[in-house]
Amino acid sequence: MNKVEWENIYRKLDDRYRDFLMIYRTDYEKGKTIKIRNKAQSELRSIIETIVAHIYDNEEIYQLLESGNTGGIKLLDQQFGTLSYFESDMSDVLRKVREKIDSFSDVG
């Protein structure tokens, strides 16, 4: 993929991550009723599933995240898709994608 394609993927992942954070920090953590928290949990799981599917569907992203893995994020590990780990793990995903984008030369 070229730099623009990586930037587009980054934006998509970041947008979904921001959606996750908004719901997680409001309705999930501070929901006043079980019904609100359960609805938030369902929405969060849907966001996680969407992000994970997007990563698995794109071989280059998957390879970027799994290459040179020495105990960091492991997409095959069930922890990545859990609410308790997803926030920090997704930050790592975005950081790695940003590093990949930054590795491209702006010289044509």
Side-chain angles (χ1 to χ4, degrees):
M1 288 191 300
N2 63 37
K3 183 176 183 176
V4 172
E5 292 169 319
W6 279 103
E7 287 170 337
N8 289 335
I9 287 170
Y10 180 88
R11 275 191 292 279
K12 287 177 188 175
L13 294 174
D14 188 51
D15 286 347
R16 295 304 292 159
Y17 181 54
R18 289 175 190 269
D19 293 341
F20 173 89
L21 292 176
M22 175 70 82
I23 295 167
Y24 187 82
R25 293 179 179 163
T26 56
D27 293 346
Y28 183 72
E29 287 187 328
K30 299 176 185 173
K32 294 185 190 238
T33 67
I34 291 174
K35 184 178 178 180
I36 291 171
R37 291 189 300 274
N38 285 344
K39 182 176 184 277
Q41 184 177 26
S42 176
E43 291 172 3
L44 293 170
R45 292 196 188 287
S46 177
I47 290 169
I48 291 171
E49 288 173 10
T50 300
I51 288 172
V52 169
H54 189 66
I55 290 169
Y56 277 115
D57 288 344
N58 187 308
E59 183 68 24
E60 287 189 65
I61 295 174
Y62 181 82
Q63 290 301 319
L64 173 71
L65 298 176
E66 291 293 311
S67 67
N69 195 344
T70 57
I73 181 172
K74 288 187 181 274
L75 293 179
L76 299 176
D77 189 336
Q78 292 292 0
Q79 289 182 349
F80 179 76
T82 62
L83 294 178
S84 56
Y85 289 93
F86 187 76
E87 185 174 356
S88 64
D89 287 349
M90 192 61 200
S91 290
D92 291 342
V93 167
L94 291 172
R95 179 185 49 76
K96 288 183 177 190
V97 173
R98 173 52 57 199
E99 288 171 357
K100 177 68 176 178
I101 292 167
D102 293 343
S103 73
F104 284 91
S105 173
D106 286 330
V107 178

